Amino acid sequence: MNRALLAGGVAAVATMTGCSSNSSGTAASASYGPGGRMPSGMPSGGPGGGGGMGPGASEVAYADFVGVTTDGKVVDDLYTIHSTDVSTDRLVKAAQAFLDGLTAKERKASVFEVDDDEWLAWSNVDGYQREGARMGDLTVKQRDLGYALLGAALSADGLAQTRNIMKLNAFLGDYNGGGRDTLTEGAYFFTFLGTPSTREPWGFQYEGHHVAINYFVLGDQVVMTPTFMGSEPTSATYQGEKITLFRKETKAGLTLLRSLTDAQREKVISSESKAGDNLKAGAGQDNLKLTYQGLVAEGFTDAQKEHLLDLVRVYVGNMDDGHAEVKMREVEDHLDETYFHWIGETKDSSAFYYRVHSPVVLVEYDAQSPLAYGNKDSGGGMGGPGGTPTQQHIHTIVRTPNGGDYGVDLLKLHLENDH
């Protein structure tokens, strides 16, 4: 099937390769508030832009997945099947409870094979047709079971961030006059790949505007990438609650940068002039070739390396605590091969982009130009990707390069060695 992305009331169909017999996704409304403005989160740079899955951006079929590499060639022997000694029993029980709470129709629409193309069919934009069980269409009890699953999969911080992104999505809908099915707390979907098990491979996705969590499980191993988290705005009051997002991500990036010497910063910062959208590894970029840029951490002082690890931990720490520590050990094993890159100015309030990139982790933070939040008198937007970036619109993504996303490399090893 094709997934339709509706921009300014005009249907723009992205050509996709991922097909499925399940078709329960909800099409987006064509009304975008005052001025018919474009969907928030729309990618820049024309077709195939790295900021989101938009018109012309193509999914990669699961069978053709390679992952993010520097040159198209996967670095071998990075990932192994092993025991982490971190139980997934609670996670499996929570996933099974959620599935058991669905109706037969809802369940059929939400479950795919473990190697289905649906893994790669995610997007961060709001006007995007999605598969699975829509939170807003579920009963209160069913939604509670869904949040319980997220609570088992994520850390307390990760769950809070996910919920707050959903709330600010609803704030954006209210800000733009309401009437948008996609700009609500309910416009988020669960899909499942395989059957929850403590032995066999399976996973789930939780996806909607500014959130895409891909969670693969094999025994007691977990891969939670790609994970996209963003928001526009990043700070607002919703139903009496003051919400501010991405402070830790902003501060940790600045802390690392400011710990560098002037000579190091010259190698890290490629430009003080930032575009409205610099994200590279967003939706539709699963086989991205991305060369290392910036400065490698091999020559960092111990204190600088600790700041780098602290930065990565902010993102990895969105998954449950035990598996986050497992991933951080993997990151630390490749710390001397890790690059830090920066675009933009360096004040606390500056809009900037940074990237952490190693053979086993890719983190991007991008303060982007507003698309749907700003001056209502001028239509609410500020020029889209060509406008002035601000910390009120931030996109982040975490990936596992060299075939690690979606647990693809682990699944291949599992099939080769155990079946």
Side-chain angles (χ1 to χ4, degrees), residues 74-307:
V74 172
V75 177
D76 293 328
D77 302 324
L78 289 173
Y79 313 111
T80 62
I81 295 175
H82 62 277
S83 176
T84 66
D85 294 323
V86 181
S87 175
T88 55
D89 289 355
R90 176 170 168 254
L91 174 68
V92 170
K93 290 177 181 178
Q96 193 60 61
F98 177 77
L99 284 169
D100 288 345
L102 298 178
T103 66
K105 182 178 180 181
E106 289 166 341
R107 183 164 182 157
K108 182 179 180 181
S110 304
V111 178
F112 299 78
E113 296 297 323
V114 72
D115 59 351
D116 197 276
D117 290 348
E118 181 63 25
W119 271 121
L120 291 81
W122 62 270
S123 175
N124 55 280
V125 300
D126 62 321
Y128 187 73
Q129 185 170 305
R130 295 178 164 91
E131 304 290 346
R134 183 180 184 273
M135 290 291 269
D137 295 336
L138 302 180
T139 66
V140 172
K141 183 177 180 180
Q142 288 173 321
R143 284 198 298 273
D144 286 344
L145 290 171
Y147 289 132
L149 170 55
L150 290 177
L154 306 177
S155 65
D157 286 346
L159 179 60
Q161 177 132 306
T162 301
R163 289 291 289 114
N164 283 334
I165 291 171
M166 295 168 63
K167 291 175 183 178
L168 288 185
N169 185 52
F171 168 88
L172 187 64
D174 294 343
Y175 174 88
N176 281 272
R180 286 281 302 283
D181 290 341
T182 58
L183 295 183
T184 70
E185 287 189 68
Y188 293 84
F189 296 73
F190 273 107
T191 53
F192 290 81
L193 294 299
T195 302
S197 168
T198 57
R199 295 176 58 88
E200 297 301 313
W202 67 282
F204 75 90
Q205 298 171 300
Y206 187 69
E207 180 194 356
H209 186 211
H210 279 139
V211 173
I213 298 169
N214 292 281
Y215 208 102
F216 173 84
V217 184
L218 176 60
D220 63 6
Q221 288 182 267
V222 164
V223 177
M224 198 178 94
T225 60
T227 290
F228 182 104
M229 292 189 176
S231 189
E232 182 191 16
T234 58
S235 182
T237 298
Y238 174 64
Q239 296 186 348
E241 180 184 3
K242 177 67 175 180
I243 300 172
T244 300
L245 296 173
F246 301 110
R247 278 182 174 171
K248 291 190 300 182
E249 292 84 350
T250 301
K251 182 178 179 181
L254 287 168
T255 297
L256 173 56
L257 184 76
R258 290 169 180 173
S259 74
L260 303 179
T261 66
D262 290 343
Q264 288 174 318
R265 285 198 206 184
E266 287 184 4
K267 295 180 179 179
V268 166
I269 301 174
S270 63
S271 173
E272 292 186 355
S273 178
K274 190 195 177 302
D277 179 355
N278 291 98
L279 200 75
K280 299 295 184 184
Q285 303 299 312
D286 286 299
N287 283 357
L288 176 70
K289 295 179 185 178
L290 184 65
T291 59
Y292 292 126
Q293 287 182 268
L295 182 64
V296 68
E298 184 178 12
F300 282 11
T301 65
D302 289 345
Q304 290 168 341
K305 288 182 178 180
E306 196 59 40
H307 288 315

Side-chain angles (χ1 to χ4, degrees), residues 42 44 50-51 210 228-231 234 246 249-250 274-281 315 343-344 350-355 363-369 385 389-397:
M42 179 75 78
S44 68
H210 279 139
F228 182 104
M229 292 189 176
S231 189
T234 58
F246 301 110
E249 292 84 350
T250 301
K274 190 195 177 302
D277 179 355
N278 291 98
L279 200 75
K280 299 295 184 184
Y315 294 88
I343 299 173
S350 296
F352 49 77
Y353 164 92
Y354 65 72
R355 179 162 78 234
V363 173
E364 290 187 281
Y365 166 108
D366 192 24
Q368 302 195 339
S369 56
T390 169
Q391 286 188 18
Q392 276 286 41
H393 188 190
I394 291 174
H395 285 186
T396 70
I397 193 163

